[in-house]
Amino acid sequence: MLKKLKKLWHNSTFQFIFRIVFYFAILMVLVYLYSYSGVNNSKFIYNEF
């Protein structure tokens, strides 16, 4: 099993696809955390007057 994984990892196409999926997952986590933080949900200061 480990030999198959090592052989698969040396495939450049597999490494390329793995990196795309990995960085896309990181990007989605960061976008989720940014939207969860509520930065865009702040009130405009003049709405309270």
Side-chain angles (χ1 to χ4, degrees):
M1 177 77 177
L2 190 58
K3 289 181 182 181
K4 288 182 182 180
L5 287 176
K6 285 183 180 181
K7 185 179 179 182
L8 185 62
W9 183 253
H10 288 293
N11 187 354
S12 61
T13 306
F14 176 76
Q15 286 183 353
F16 180 72
I17 292 173
F18 179 78
R19 287 181 181 159
I20 288 176
V21 170
F22 181 72
Y23 289 128
F24 182 75
I26 290 175
L27 180 67
M28 288 296 106
V29 168
L30 290 175
V31 167
Y32 173 74
L33 291 175
Y34 181 74
S35 65
Y36 183 74
S37 67
V39 172
N40 292 331
N41 295 334
S42 62
K43 293 182 179 179
F44 190 61
I45 189 170
Y46 297 113
N47 285 344
E48 296 180 4
F49 291 111

